[in-house]
Amino acid sequence: MNRRGAIGIIGQAMFMAAAFPAWTQPAGWPRRMTDADGREIEITTPPQRILSSSVTLTGTALAIGAPVVASGTTVDGKFFAQWAEKASDVEQLWPAGRVDLESVLMIAPDLILVSASGADSALAQVAQFSAIAPVLVLDYARQPWQSLAEQLGQATGREDQAAALLAGYDRWIEEQRARMVLPSGPANIVSYHGPGMPNPVAIATGVHGRLLASLGFQIEGPPPDWPGTDAAAGDFVRVAYEYLPDLTAETTFLLNAGQDRVEAFMADPLLANLPSVRAGQVYALGETSFRIDYYSARQIVELLAAQFASGQAG
């Protein structure tokens, strides 16, 4: 390790000693957790300076009020639009896929969050991060944001805040569901890209499928033996464009889309005989719908509640 790195670690140790003298050790700490990478980690005191190397994890951490001071960004150097305004005090670090260890030392975090997968994963740097601060690896691709919130609550001492957030969200979902009049029949969720590209279709048990199911929709997932698909990856099956006409649901929701994408889908001659196209029941889930966290989930539900509140759709 070079001199700058040594100074950074010494500075971190001095910060922790000043913030949490031995005689004021909080009750219930240290805490030991098993992360998504199977490692046993120890977090000695409630974190005060969290560095999230994954922009996807940052939104859920912010939702429970965790003290995130710095975060990785999307590949184009931005935060997700659904929570960017909540992150005005969060320092933007590297774009997804480009880790800068020197900036980690300068931040002097007392907890580092890492995604187990995805373009914003820094899994290869866990050993180097661990020389600076405890590292918690979380797998957002295999669980809903609610369970991530619970894990982050445990890791940060904000269990009560996480529980309150989830309880309030559940009540709000029930309120929105009561306002809605849904179209009849099943619905599917498609990430539509057109010819020459995969067109992922959500599985019924994925995070998007569960979100719409919580509002009362019956989700049609792709057949498990559908020809021309890749293996299921997380919440989606990567469907060959030519097989989209095999979908049978009477309603289609388009992921990461606005009205322009709906119009393109409806005008696609290959899809003209889809039940949802014939019925005129194709709807956008919004531009922030690809990654589901507390903030994007609310935006999706607000959009659907407005769409179906009058019962005129379908």
Side-chain angles (χ1 to χ4, degrees):
M1 179 179 294
N2 59 31
R3 183 172 179 271
R4 180 179 293 178
I7 291 173
I9 292 176
I10 291 169
Q12 176 200 355
M14 292 175 65
F15 170 83
M16 293 301 295
F20 297 103
W23 58 89
T24 61
Q25 180 79 345
W29 298 82
R31 295 188 174 182
R32 293 172 177 82
M33 299 180 63
T34 301
D35 70 7
D37 206 27
R39 300 176 311 115
E40 298 288 335
I41 69 166
E42 180 178 274
I43 305 172
T44 56
T45 53
Q48 302 298 305
R49 294 182 58 79
I50 297 174
L51 185 155
S52 173
S53 66
S54 162
V55 67
T56 303
L57 296 175
T58 302
T60 301
L62 291 173
I64 67 168
V68 179
V69 297
S71 172
T73 69
T74 62
V75 292
D76 55 0
K78 299 178 181 179
F79 288 155
F80 286 143
Q82 62 261 30
W83 50 259
E85 292 184 359
K86 310 288 185 182
S88 59
D89 295 331
V90 178
E91 182 174 346
Q92 294 186 347
L93 298 176
W94 53 79
R98 288 189 258 165
V99 175
D100 179 1
L101 288 172
E102 185 172 333
S103 67
V104 178
L105 291 166
M106 293 178 64
I107 294 296
D110 49 15
L111 178 65
I112 300 174
L113 306 179
V114 172
S115 167
S117 60
D120 58 353
S121 176
L123 200 60
Q125 283 76 37
V126 166
Q128 293 162 301
F129 287 166
S130 296
I132 301 170
V135 177
L136 179 62
V137 179
L138 298 167
D139 192 352
Y140 65 74
R142 300 292 178 181
Q143 59 184 317
W145 69 265
Q146 290 95 326
S147 63
L148 284 175
E150 290 172 340
Q151 287 179 285
L152 287 166
Q154 180 185 359
T156 61
R158 302 187 70 82
E159 296 97 332
D160 291 346
Q161 291 86 341
L165 180 79
L166 298 182
Y169 174 82
D170 288 342
R171 289 192 299 271
W172 180 77
I173 285 288
E174 288 301 317
E175 292 169 0
Q176 302 309 306
R177 179 172 179 167
R179 294 176 50 207
M180 298 171 65
V181 180
L182 306 187
S184 61
N188 51 45
I189 307 168
V190 180
S191 183
Y192 173 66
H193 301 289
M197 297 186 66
N199 287 255
V201 175
I203 65 174
T205 56
V207 292
H208 295 83
R210 288 196 296 267
L211 175 59
L212 267 64
S214 72
L215 296 171
F217 290 98
Q218 176 189 346
I219 303 302
E220 173 199 36
D225 58 347
W226 203 344
T229 66
D230 295 334
D235 298 323
F236 295 88
V237 168
R238 291 165 59 83
V239 177
Y241 167 73
E242 292 77 12
Y243 290 100
L244 288 181
D246 291 345
L247 293 170
T248 63
E250 299 170 36
T251 301
T252 293
F253 293 102
L254 298 184
L255 195 65
N256 201 31
Q259 188 59 33
D260 58 338
R261 190 73 61 86
V262 170
E263 293 172 2
F265 189 92
M266 295 279 288
D268 189 325
L270 184 72
L271 308 179
N273 289 319
L274 280 181
S276 60
V277 172
R278 292 201 307 267
Q281 294 182 168
V282 179
Y283 307 101
L285 289 180
E287 303 287 353
T288 65
S289 57
F290 183 69
R291 292 288 186 215
I292 299 293
D293 56 31
Y294 169 74
Y295 300 106
S296 60
R298 285 189 63 102
Q299 288 183 357
I300 291 170
V301 173
E302 287 169 355
L303 187 64
L304 294 178
Q307 180 71 62
F308 296 110
S310 67
Q312 295 179 358

